[in-house]
Amino acid sequence: DAMVIQNPRYQVTQFGKPVTLSCSQTLNHNVMYWYQQKSSQAPKLLFHYYDKDFNNEADTPDNFQSRRPNTSFCFLDIRSPGLGDAAMYLCATSRGQGGYEQYFGPGTRLTVT
Amino acid sequence: ILNVEQSPQSLHVQEGDSTNFTCSFPSSNFYALHWYRWETAKSPEALFVMTLNGDEKKKGRISATLNTKEGYSYLYIKGSQPEDSATYLCADETDSWGKLQFGAGTQVVVTP
């Protein structure tokens, strides 16, 4: 009965080789978020969707893109991963914006070699 | 305070003991304060979302308080159990967009 699913759980990619991380949800929530967490640091918001409206954080690198083809799925594309992009990537959903708890997936740990 | 800060970074607790730790956040532009529990290899799980100054919330042996004027929240664990071992993250919202700014977490290890 997993509600927010992230695949794969572990991803290894080569320096400069594009990689896509996926997130799906069974909650039918309007809002989806992508966070990046580097070792021992605070998770950092990369972008979020309210329905199909995309909101990019000002300091999210151009290297990072996202797609949300429908309510259930959201993808994080890293066009040319660098060593500094190795991190845990967390997907989350919420029913609405402002004061709603977020439901997280287990994360994808990305290694860049 | 410009960012969300949590202290201590980690703590070790004997089973049965109670403990608490702190989340500090900018007191200006406050909208909501979240607490999440993140066990190893699992998904972060929401504990509380708090919006009002003086709010106190409780879930089982875990409770939290909120002071929005001075910008801090405490999380309390009463009678710690090994299953309470996790990283506890707090995050604040500063507007109605639902964007969370997280602290780096407090890692709690409860030993039998």
Side-chain angles (χ1 to χ4, degrees):
Chain A
D1 59 342
M3 296 182 289
V4 182
I5 301 160
Q6 290 189 246
N7 285 310
R9 293 290 301 273
Y10 300 91
Q11 175 76 57
V12 180
T13 192
Q14 291 178 326
F15 183 94
K17 185 174 181 182
V19 66
T20 294
L21 310 182
S22 74
C23 177
S24 63
Q25 55 138 336
T26 59
L27 297 163
N28 204 35
H29 283 172
N30 290 327
V31 194
M32 294 187 79
Y33 306 85
W34 279 105
Y35 293 90
Q36 177 194 62
Q37 188 199 31
K38 296 187 179 180
S39 181
S40 299
Q41 296 181 23
K44 180 177 171 299
L45 181 66
L46 295 173
F47 20 61
H48 78 280
Y49 282 90
Y50 185 86
D51 287 334
K52 285 193 174 291
D53 290 339
F54 175 71
N55 297 272
N56 198 33
E57 292 301 293
D59 55 356
T60 297
D62 292 339
N63 203 20
F64 289 77
Q65 307 283 317
S66 184
R67 297 169 282 136
R68 189 179 185 187
N70 53 53
T71 301
S72 301
F73 286 88
C74 195
F75 300 98
L76 170 60
D77 302 308
I78 308 177
R79 289 190 298 190
S80 182
L83 298 178
D85 296 327
M88 172 72 84
Y89 290 87
L90 290 165
C91 173
T93 74
S94 67
R95 264 194 304 128
Q97 292 177 285
Y100 289 89
E101 66 184 23
Q102 294 188 11
Y103 293 77
F104 283 84
T108 294
R109 184 166 295 283
L110 178 68
T111 300
V112 182
T113 61
Chain B
I1 293 177
L2 298 177
N3 299 311
V4 178
E5 297 173 1
Q6 293 188 245
S7 65
Q9 190 173 8
S10 65
L11 60 93
H12 289 251
V13 186
Q14 203 69 21
E15 182 176 359
D17 287 351
S18 296
T19 190
N20 64 83
F21 37 94
T22 308
C23 173
S24 301
F25 54 89
S27 55
S28 59
N29 299 322
F30 174 81
Y31 191 89
L33 192 283
H34 295 232
W35 281 101
Y36 292 86
R37 174 171 57 200
W38 193 3
E39 296 178 64
T40 303
K42 294 187 178 180
S43 306
E45 173 196 4
L47 290 172
F48 308 113
V49 180
M50 307 169 78
T51 56
L52 298 176
N53 185 43
D55 237 357
E56 292 188 28
K57 295 215 172 181
K58 188 176 180 183
K59 182 183 278 192
R61 293 178 292 98
I62 301 178
S63 60
T65 61
L66 178 66
N67 183 320
T68 61
K69 293 183 179 179
E70 296 182 42
Y72 64 84
S73 176
Y74 293 127
L75 193 88
Y76 300 87
I77 305 176
K78 185 178 177 182
S80 303
Q81 299 297 308
E83 59 264 31
D84 296 326
S85 297
T87 295
Y88 291 81
L89 293 166
C90 74
D92 80 335
E93 288 183 62
T94 56
D95 55 36
S96 61
W97 288 95
K99 300 192 296 184
L100 299 183
Q101 182 176 358
F102 277 93
T106 293
Q107 184 181 26
V108 174
V109 177
V110 181
T111 51

mmCIF file of all heavy atoms in Angstrom, chain A residues 64-95:
data_model
loop_
_atom_site.group_PDB
_atom_site.id
_atom_site.type_symbol
_atom_site.label_atom_id
_atom_site.label_comp_id
_atom_site.label_asym_id
_atom_site.label_seq_id
_atom_site.Cartn_x
_atom_site.Cartn_y
_atom_site.Cartn_z
ATOM 1 N N PHE A 64 19.013 20.616 -14.061
ATOM 2 C CA PHE A 64 17.907 19.847 -13.524
ATOM 3 C C PHE A 64 16.609 20.286 -14.193
ATOM 4 O O PHE A 64 16.294 21.478 -14.262
ATOM 5 C CB PHE A 64 17.765 20.080 -12.004
ATOM 6 C CG PHE A 64 18.849 19.454 -11.186
ATOM 7 C CD1 PHE A 64 20.107 20.028 -11.117
ATOM 8 C CD2 PHE A 64 18.622 18.282 -10.487
ATOM 9 C CE1 PHE A 64 21.118 19.446 -10.369
ATOM 10 C CE2 PHE A 64 19.620 17.703 -9.726
ATOM 11 C CZ PHE A 64 20.869 18.285 -9.671
ATOM 12 N N GLN A 65 15.886 19.295 -14.711
ATOM 13 C CA GLN A 65 14.598 19.551 -15.333
ATOM 14 C C GLN A 65 13.574 18.608 -14.706
ATOM 15 O O GLN A 65 13.932 17.593 -14.108
ATOM 16 C CB GLN A 65 14.670 19.289 -16.844
ATOM 17 C CG GLN A 65 15.794 20.036 -17.558
ATOM 18 C CD GLN A 65 15.470 21.483 -17.781
ATOM 19 O OE1 GLN A 65 14.345 21.799 -18.168
ATOM 20 N NE2 GLN A 65 16.423 22.372 -17.531
ATOM 21 N N SER A 66 12.301 18.928 -14.923
ATOM 22 C CA SER A 66 11.267 18.054 -14.402
ATOM 23 C C SER A 66 10.105 17.982 -15.378
ATOM 24 O O SER A 66 9.893 18.904 -16.176
ATOM 25 C CB SER A 66 10.785 18.561 -13.044
ATOM 26 O OG SER A 66 9.841 17.670 -12.473
ATOM 27 N N ARG A 67 9.415 16.873 -15.327
ATOM 28 C CA ARG A 67 8.212 16.666 -16.143
ATOM 29 C C ARG A 67 7.135 16.048 -15.271
ATOM 30 O O ARG A 67 7.417 15.196 -14.436
ATOM 31 C CB ARG A 67 8.512 15.683 -17.294
ATOM 32 C CG ARG A 67 9.534 16.141 -18.289
ATOM 33 C CD ARG A 67 9.933 14.981 -19.213
ATOM 34 N NE ARG A 67 10.854 14.047 -18.598
ATOM 35 C CZ ARG A 67 10.734 12.737 -18.688
ATOM 36 N NH1 ARG A 67 9.721 12.178 -19.349
ATOM 37 N NH2 ARG A 67 11.639 11.939 -18.117
ATOM 38 N N ARG A 68 5.898 16.473 -15.524
ATOM 39 C CA ARG A 68 4.770 15.859 -14.835
ATOM 40 C C ARG A 68 3.696 15.579 -15.895
ATOM 41 O O ARG A 68 2.817 16.404 -16.141
ATOM 42 C CB ARG A 68 4.221 16.747 -13.726
ATOM 43 C CG ARG A 68 3.184 16.011 -12.880
ATOM 44 C CD ARG A 68 2.648 16.858 -11.749
ATOM 45 N NE ARG A 68 1.750 16.072 -10.891
ATOM 46 C CZ ARG A 68 1.035 16.580 -9.899
ATOM 47 N NH1 ARG A 68 1.099 17.880 -9.606
ATOM 48 N NH2 ARG A 68 0.255 15.793 -9.179
ATOM 49 N N PRO A 69 3.751 14.392 -16.506
ATOM 50 C CA PRO A 69 2.825 14.110 -17.609
ATOM 51 C C PRO A 69 1.372 13.931 -17.159
ATOM 52 O O PRO A 69 0.462 14.133 -17.970
ATOM 53 C CB PRO A 69 3.375 12.806 -18.202
ATOM 54 C CG PRO A 69 4.166 12.173 -17.087
ATOM 55 C CD PRO A 69 4.705 13.297 -16.269
ATOM 56 N N ASN A 70 1.163 13.539 -15.921
ATOM 57 C CA ASN A 70 -0.189 13.398 -15.386
ATOM 58 C C ASN A 70 -0.123 13.532 -13.872
ATOM 59 O O ASN A 70 0.952 13.727 -13.303
ATOM 60 C CB ASN A 70 -0.808 12.057 -15.806
ATOM 61 C CG ASN A 70 0.072 10.880 -15.457
ATOM 62 O OD1 ASN A 70 0.496 10.734 -14.310
ATOM 63 N ND2 ASN A 70 0.389 10.036 -16.436
ATOM 64 N N THR A 71 -1.285 13.424 -13.211
ATOM 65 C CA THR A 71 -1.329 13.638 -11.769
ATOM 66 C C THR A 71 -0.441 12.667 -11.020
ATOM 67 O O THR A 71 0.162 13.003 -10.003
ATOM 68 C CB THR A 71 -2.784 13.488 -11.266
ATOM 69 O OG1 THR A 71 -3.592 14.434 -11.922
ATOM 70 C CG2 THR A 71 -2.875 13.698 -9.755
ATOM 71 N N SER A 72 -0.336 11.438 -11.522
ATOM 72 C CA SER A 72 0.309 10.368 -10.757
ATOM 73 C C SER A 72 1.815 10.353 -10.859
ATOM 74 O O SER A 72 2.488 9.845 -9.971
ATOM 75 C CB SER A 72 -0.221 9.003 -11.213
ATOM 76 O OG SER A 72 -1.621 8.925 -11.032
ATOM 77 N N PHE A 73 2.366 10.856 -11.951
ATOM 78 C CA PHE A 73 3.790 10.679 -12.202
ATOM 79 C C PHE A 73 4.529 12.007 -12.277
ATOM 80 O O PHE A 73 4.009 12.992 -12.800
ATOM 81 C CB PHE A 73 4.019 9.925 -13.518
ATOM 82 C CG PHE A 73 3.700 8.462 -13.432
ATOM 83 C CD1 PHE A 73 2.409 8.022 -13.682
ATOM 84 C CD2 PHE A 73 4.681 7.538 -13.103
ATOM 85 C CE1 PHE A 73 2.097 6.681 -13.595
ATOM 86 C CE2 PHE A 73 4.372 6.191 -13.018
ATOM 87 C CZ PHE A 73 3.082 5.763 -13.273
ATOM 88 N N CYS A 74 5.771 11.966 -11.809
ATOM 89 C CA CYS A 74 6.635 13.129 -11.922
ATOM 90 C C CYS A 74 8.063 12.610 -12.113
ATOM 91 O O CYS A 74 8.454 11.618 -11.471
ATOM 92 C CB CYS A 74 6.546 13.979 -10.659
ATOM 93 S SG CYS A 74 7.213 15.641 -10.841
ATOM 94 N N PHE A 75 8.817 13.267 -12.992
ATOM 95 C CA PHE A 75 10.169 12.826 -13.302
ATOM 96 C C PHE A 75 11.159 13.944 -13.038
ATOM 97 O O PHE A 75 10.847 15.126 -13.236
ATOM 98 C CB PHE A 75 10.272 12.397 -14.775
ATOM 99 C CG PHE A 75 9.351 11.266 -15.133
ATOM 100 C CD1 PHE A 75 8.132 11.522 -15.743
ATOM 101 C CD2 PHE A 75 9.707 9.954 -14.857
ATOM 102 C CE1 PHE A 75 7.268 10.488 -16.069
ATOM 103 C CE2 PHE A 75 8.858 8.911 -15.186
ATOM 104 C CZ PHE A 75 7.635 9.168 -15.792
ATOM 105 N N LEU A 76 12.334 13.530 -12.609
ATOM 106 C CA LEU A 76 13.455 14.458 -12.449
ATOM 107 C C LEU A 76 14.523 14.042 -13.450
ATOM 108 O O LEU A 76 15.004 12.907 -13.417
ATOM 109 C CB LEU A 76 13.994 14.388 -11.026
ATOM 110 C CG LEU A 76 15.305 15.096 -10.726
ATOM 111 C CD1 LEU A 76 15.197 16.585 -11.000
ATOM 112 C CD2 LEU A 76 15.744 14.855 -9.284
ATOM 113 N N ASP A 77 14.855 14.930 -14.378
ATOM 114 C CA ASP A 77 15.889 14.683 -15.365
ATOM 115 C C ASP A 77 17.122 15.500 -15.006
ATOM 116 O O ASP A 77 17.028 16.712 -14.828
ATOM 117 C CB ASP A 77 15.411 15.103 -16.772
ATOM 118 C CG ASP A 77 14.150 14.375 -17.201
ATOM 119 O OD1 ASP A 77 14.148 13.133 -17.125
ATOM 120 O OD2 ASP A 77 13.184 15.050 -17.607
ATOM 121 N N ILE A 78 18.252 14.828 -14.955
ATOM 122 C CA ILE A 78 19.526 15.520 -14.782
ATOM 123 C C ILE A 78 20.282 15.354 -16.082
ATOM 124 O O ILE A 78 20.658 14.235 -16.466
ATOM 125 C CB ILE A 78 20.325 14.957 -13.591
ATOM 126 C CG1 ILE A 78 19.448 14.923 -12.339
ATOM 127 C CG2 ILE A 78 21.554 15.834 -13.336
ATOM 128 C CD1 ILE A 78 20.126 14.301 -11.121
ATOM 129 N N ARG A 79 20.464 16.461 -16.780
ATOM 130 C CA ARG A 79 20.936 16.380 -18.173
ATOM 131 C C ARG A 79 22.396 15.983 -18.273
ATOM 132 O O ARG A 79 22.772 15.211 -19.151
ATOM 133 C CB ARG A 79 20.716 17.721 -18.867
ATOM 134 C CG ARG A 79 19.253 18.013 -19.136
ATOM 135 C CD ARG A 79 19.093 19.211 -20.034
ATOM 136 N NE ARG A 79 19.639 20.416 -19.418
ATOM 137 C CZ ARG A 79 19.458 21.624 -19.910
ATOM 138 N NH1 ARG A 79 18.760 21.790 -21.023
ATOM 139 N NH2 ARG A 79 19.977 22.672 -19.322
ATOM 140 N N SER A 80 23.222 16.495 -17.422
ATOM 141 C CA SER A 80 24.656 16.196 -17.473
ATOM 142 C C SER A 80 25.157 16.140 -16.035
ATOM 143 O O SER A 80 25.702 17.124 -15.518
ATOM 144 C CB SER A 80 25.383 17.268 -18.280
ATOM 145 O OG SER A 80 26.763 16.966 -18.374
ATOM 146 N N PRO A 81 24.965 14.989 -15.393
ATOM 147 C CA PRO A 81 25.304 14.919 -13.957
ATOM 148 C C PRO A 81 26.778 15.160 -13.707
ATOM 149 O O PRO A 81 27.650 14.637 -14.430
ATOM 150 C CB PRO A 81 24.921 13.485 -13.577
ATOM 151 C CG PRO A 81 24.019 13.007 -14.648
ATOM 152 C CD PRO A 81 24.406 13.740 -15.900
ATOM 153 N N GLY A 82 27.025 15.967 -12.692
ATOM 154 C CA GLY A 82 28.391 16.144 -12.225
ATOM 155 C C GLY A 82 28.558 15.438 -10.894
ATOM 156 O O GLY A 82 27.595 14.962 -10.287
ATOM 157 N N LEU A 83 29.808 15.349 -10.449
ATOM 158 C CA LEU A 83 30.076 14.661 -9.188
ATOM 159 C C LEU A 83 29.317 15.313 -8.037
ATOM 160 O O LEU A 83 28.914 14.640 -7.084
ATOM 161 C CB LEU A 83 31.586 14.652 -8.901
ATOM 162 C CG LEU A 83 32.447 13.909 -9.925
ATOM 163 C CD1 LEU A 83 33.918 14.017 -9.546
ATOM 164 C CD2 LEU A 83 32.029 12.459 -10.039
ATOM 165 N N GLY A 84 29.102 16.613 -8.147
ATOM 166 C CA GLY A 84 28.392 17.350 -7.087
ATOM 167 C C GLY A 84 26.901 17.075 -7.047
ATOM 168 O O GLY A 84 26.220 17.536 -6.119
ATOM 169 N N ASP A 85 26.382 16.338 -8.008
ATOM 170 C CA ASP A 85 24.955 16.015 -8.026
ATOM 171 C C ASP A 85 24.651 14.708 -7.299
ATOM 172 O O ASP A 85 23.477 14.319 -7.184
ATOM 173 C CB ASP A 85 24.446 15.934 -9.471
ATOM 174 C CG ASP A 85 24.551 17.264 -10.188
ATOM 175 O OD1 ASP A 85 24.395 18.311 -9.531
ATOM 176 O OD2 ASP A 85 24.810 17.263 -11.415
ATOM 177 N N ALA A 86 25.683 14.025 -6.836
ATOM 178 C CA ALA A 86 25.471 12.812 -6.045
ATOM 179 C C ALA A 86 24.745 13.199 -4.757
ATOM 180 O O ALA A 86 25.199 14.079 -4.013
ATOM 181 C CB ALA A 86 26.798 12.150 -5.726
ATOM 182 N N ALA A 87 23.609 12.560 -4.529
ATOM 183 C CA ALA A 87 22.769 12.959 -3.397
ATOM 184 C C ALA A 87 21.611 11.982 -3.284
ATOM 185 O O ALA A 87 21.420 11.102 -4.126
ATOM 186 C CB ALA A 87 22.208 14.374 -3.608
ATOM 187 N N MET A 88 20.805 12.171 -2.242
ATOM 188 C CA MET A 88 19.519 11.504 -2.121
ATOM 189 C C MET A 88 18.473 12.457 -2.717
ATOM 190 O O MET A 88 18.469 13.650 -2.382
ATOM 191 C CB MET A 88 19.200 11.242 -0.649
ATOM 192 C CG MET A 88 17.795 10.723 -0.393
ATOM 193 S SD MET A 88 17.598 9.022 -0.936
ATOM 194 C CE MET A 88 18.231 8.166 0.508
ATOM 195 N N TYR A 89 17.617 11.928 -3.581
ATOM 196 C CA TYR A 89 16.559 12.737 -4.174
ATOM 197 C C TYR A 89 15.220 12.225 -3.645
ATOM 198 O O TYR A 89 14.870 11.058 -3.817
ATOM 199 C CB TYR A 89 16.629 12.678 -5.698
ATOM 200 C CG TYR A 89 17.833 13.421 -6.205
ATOM 201 C CD1 TYR A 89 19.069 12.785 -6.327
ATOM 202 C CD2 TYR A 89 17.765 14.787 -6.491
ATOM 203 C CE1 TYR A 89 20.198 13.486 -6.739
ATOM 204 C CE2 TYR A 89 18.882 15.482 -6.910
ATOM 205 C CZ TYR A 89 20.094 14.829 -7.030
ATOM 206 O OH TYR A 89 21.205 15.535 -7.424
ATOM 207 N N LEU A 90 14.486 13.132 -3.028
ATOM 208 C CA LEU A 90 13.213 12.792 -2.404
ATOM 209 C C LEU A 90 12.075 13.417 -3.182
ATOM 210 O O LEU A 90 12.120 14.597 -3.539
ATOM 211 C CB LEU A 90 13.168 13.328 -0.968
ATOM 212 C CG LEU A 90 14.064 12.651 0.061
ATOM 213 C CD1 LEU A 90 14.178 13.520 1.294
ATOM 214 C CD2 LEU A 90 13.555 11.276 0.413
ATOM 215 N N CYS A 91 11.042 12.621 -3.404
ATOM 216 C CA CYS A 91 9.810 13.105 -4.007
ATOM 217 C C CYS A 91 8.761 13.173 -2.903
ATOM 218 O O CYS A 91 8.733 12.312 -2.005
ATOM 219 C CB CYS A 91 9.380 12.144 -5.111
ATOM 220 S SG CYS A 91 7.764 12.478 -5.822
ATOM 221 N N ALA A 92 7.908 14.183 -2.959
ATOM 222 C CA ALA A 92 6.852 14.309 -1.950
ATOM 223 C C ALA A 92 5.585 14.834 -2.622
ATOM 224 O O ALA A 92 5.645 15.470 -3.678
ATOM 225 C CB ALA A 92 7.278 15.247 -0.829
ATOM 226 N N THR A 93 4.462 14.565 -1.991
ATOM 227 C CA THR A 93 3.188 15.086 -2.472
ATOM 228 C C THR A 93 2.424 15.726 -1.321
ATOM 229 O O THR A 93 2.693 15.442 -0.155
ATOM 230 C CB THR A 93 2.305 13.967 -3.068
ATOM 231 O OG1 THR A 93 1.779 13.164 -1.995
ATOM 232 C CG2 THR A 93 3.081 13.059 -4.008
ATOM 233 N N SER A 94 1.473 16.581 -1.659
ATOM 234 C CA SER A 94 0.552 17.092 -0.640
ATOM 235 C C SER A 94 -0.776 17.411 -1.306
ATOM 236 O O SER A 94 -0.850 17.631 -2.514
ATOM 237 C CB SER A 94 1.116 18.311 0.088
ATOM 238 O OG SER A 94 1.219 19.416 -0.766
ATOM 239 N N ARG A 95 -1.816 17.438 -0.471
ATOM 240 C CA ARG A 95 -3.166 17.694 -0.981
ATOM 241 C C ARG A 95 -3.311 19.095 -1.510
ATOM 242 O O ARG A 95 -4.108 19.366 -2.410
ATOM 243 C CB ARG A 95 -4.181 17.472 0.135
ATOM 244 C CG ARG A 95 -4.814 16.114 0.149
ATOM 245 C CD ARG A 95 -6.028 16.045 1.039
ATOM 246 N NE ARG A 95 -5.776 16.435 2.399
ATOM 247 C CZ ARG A 95 -6.486 17.340 3.052
ATOM 248 N NH1 ARG A 95 -7.473 17.976 2.460
ATOM 249 N NH2 ARG A 95 -6.201 17.639 4.308
#
